[in-house]
Amino acid sequence: MAYKPKIITGKVKGTGWPIDGHVLYFSQWDYDNRENWHLYGWDDADDEAVMLTAYQTETDAGLCAYDTLESFTKAWKAKEWEPQGSFCLDLDQVEVLEVKQEEQTDDTRAKLLAHGIDLRPRKSTERGGILCLPLDENLNGDIQAKHPEWQATNCPHCGRKCWKPAEADKLQKEQGVQLLCTRCSLEAGIISPYRQTPKPGGNRAQRRRVKREQRRK
């Protein structure tokens, strides 16, 4: 059975944002240990409050791709806006009114953890890590039309053309995140440790092997 998150309707409170007092849909996932409510959806009557909240939170975080509320509203209504991250609330900021779907677990997370992959939202206090830059060869269509805020760049490790999201520079500056294309990111995080500048004489195992061979001579 495939994993399904818990889904509820809940009344928002205590955020100080326009969504306070509104009843929205939220999901709860095992990958972040069920520590947050993730915005899942909303009814048409709540659309403006959600829009204003999205604009305010993205602007405060320095991630908003639009300079003014007017341009943001235009993109929102044209369904061209794309979220710059997951919108989450603390558990005590949502009053659960009705459970629409109970959580159904599977062993997906256990399999990912076995391969060294732990899927959970990144916290502002975290440092280091790798940000995957989408490879140009893996994308279809006019990228800048779909993501006008993305910038064309090259992977600092392999040199392949890829695209840098708007939040990349901020994460690199404030949290020390490394920027790598998706291919190098997978090799760095799953297959082998990543070294931007290779050690002279190869990696540790290779250097030890050379020393053993030298002693035998």
Side-chain angles (χ1 to χ4, degrees):
M1 180 183 297
Y3 176 83
K4 293 183 179 180
K6 183 177 183 178
I7 298 176
I8 65 151
T9 56
K11 187 175 182 179
V12 183
K13 57 182 180 179
T15 68
W17 296 324
I19 55 173
D20 276 351
H22 288 260
V23 176
L24 310 176
Y25 296 84
F26 293 92
S27 58
Q28 193 177 65
W29 300 75
D30 71 341
Y31 70 78
D32 66 348
N33 297 317
R34 305 169 187 85
E35 295 177 349
N36 300 283
W37 289 114
H38 298 246
L39 182 60
Y40 188 79
W42 58 91
D43 295 326
D44 291 342
D46 305 297
D47 190 67
E48 183 174 0
V50 175
M51 179 192 71
L52 293 173
T53 298
Y55 176 74
Q56 180 179 340
T57 54
E58 288 189 357
T59 299
D60 290 346
L63 300 176
C64 189
Y66 302 90
D67 296 329
T68 64
L69 176 58
E70 181 180 0
S71 59
F72 185 90
T73 302
K74 182 178 179 181
W76 180 280
K77 292 183 176 179
K79 300 188 183 302
E80 295 174 350
W81 170 80
E82 293 190 13
Q84 300 302 305
S86 299
F87 185 88
C88 300
L89 294 179
D90 294 335
L91 297 181
D92 61 359
Q93 292 178 317
V94 177
E95 177 187 350
V96 178
L97 300 180
E98 181 182 0
V99 177
K100 295 291 187 179
Q101 174 179 283
E102 292 288 357
E103 181 183 32
Q104 296 180 14
T105 61
D106 66 1
D107 60 351
T108 298
R109 189 181 187 197
K111 291 178 180 179
L112 291 172
L113 287 171
H115 288 82
I117 304 173
D118 188 6
L119 297 179
R120 56 184 173 80
R122 184 178 180 87
K123 299 180 180 179
S124 60
T125 55
E126 293 188 55
R127 296 293 181 268
I130 298 171
L131 177 65
C132 298
L133 304 180
L135 274 167
D136 185 71
E137 62 192 59
N138 294 335
L139 302 174
N140 297 318
D142 187 347
I143 304 306
Q144 290 187 311
K146 297 179 180 178
H147 303 281
E149 74 282 6
W150 286 12
Q151 297 179 5
T153 186
N154 296 101
C155 175
H157 184 53
C158 70
R160 293 185 180 90
K161 181 180 179 181
C162 46
W163 292 86
K164 184 169 63 173
E167 66 271 20
D169 290 336
K170 180 180 175 69
L171 289 172
Q172 187 176 38
K173 179 181 179 180
E174 298 183 1
Q175 298 189 22
V177 170
Q178 291 187 33
L179 306 182
L180 294 175
C181 72
T182 49
R183 184 176 300 181
C184 290
S185 298
L186 289 171
E187 293 176 353
I190 302 175
I191 300 175
S192 62
Y194 168 71
R195 297 183 185 275
Q196 189 168 6
T197 303
K199 291 286 186 180
N203 58 35
R204 181 182 297 177
Q206 291 170 332
R207 295 196 302 274
R208 286 179 175 175
R209 184 164 58 250
V210 171
K211 288 182 179 179
R212 286 197 300 269
E213 292 175 353
Q214 290 175 341
R215 288 195 294 268
R216 292 171 184 167
K217 293 181 181 180

